[in-house]
Amino acid sequence: MKKAELSRRAFLGGAAAVAASGCVSVGRRSAKEIRFAAIGAWGMGRGTSLGLIKAKAKLVALCDANKENLAKAAKLWPGLPCYTDYRKMLAEIGDTFDAVHVSTPDHTHAYIAIDCMNAGKHVYV
């Protein structure tokens, strides 16, 4: 019997549940590795990234307008490309990831999410 594949949308939904519950496994794995960028890399963003990583997604880029928070995240995940502007990140390395999580202040969520969706990215806000 062939195992059912997990869609990106279902994976991100499961990953969000994992992050919220503290569980380590979502049960099924996607046949394709999900690569994501963190927009808002510290605070809530750090927790969301850790949850997605536990769910077997791969963090490939960090973005945070707050340079101090970006430096903390870069220290936690060394070697990743770092950006202070998500638009520049999308333009320069957007082809290297499938999805983003947007963990920024409330008044900026919509604009960032719309720009990322328009760039063809799956978005978790």
Side-chain angles (χ1 to χ4, degrees):
M1 177 184 250
K2 183 180 177 185
K3 286 187 177 181
E5 289 190 30
L6 186 62
S7 70
R8 287 183 186 158
R9 183 178 303 259
F11 176 84
L12 290 174
V18 168
S21 70
C23 294
V24 178
S25 169
V26 286
R28 297 182 294 168
R29 290 187 191 159
S30 173
K32 182 182 185 298
E33 179 180 62
I34 304 296
R35 298 168 57 85
F36 74 97
I39 302 177
W42 203 246
M44 291 296 290
R46 177 181 167 271
T48 302
S49 290
L50 290 171
L52 289 167
I53 290 167
K54 284 181 183 178
K56 307 297 184 213
K58 183 173 183 177
L59 178 59
V60 299
L62 301 167
C63 180
D64 202 307
N66 182 317
K67 291 180 183 179
E68 290 177 12
N69 287 343
L70 185 59
K72 290 180 205 174
K75 200 172 195 179
L76 181 60
W77 293 295
L80 295 180
C82 295
Y83 292 88
T84 56
D85 187 331
Y86 74 92
R87 294 163 294 204
K88 185 175 179 181
M89 180 181 70
L90 284 172
E92 290 182 3
I93 63 166
D95 61 340
T96 67
F97 54 89
D98 310 299
V100 300
H101 73 71
V102 180
S103 301
T104 59
D106 293 344
H107 64 283
T108 63
H109 286 155
Y111 301 107
I112 296 169
I114 289 168
D115 286 347
C116 291
M117 286 184 277
N118 285 336
K121 304 302 172 198
H122 298 275
V123 177
Y124 173 74
V125 179

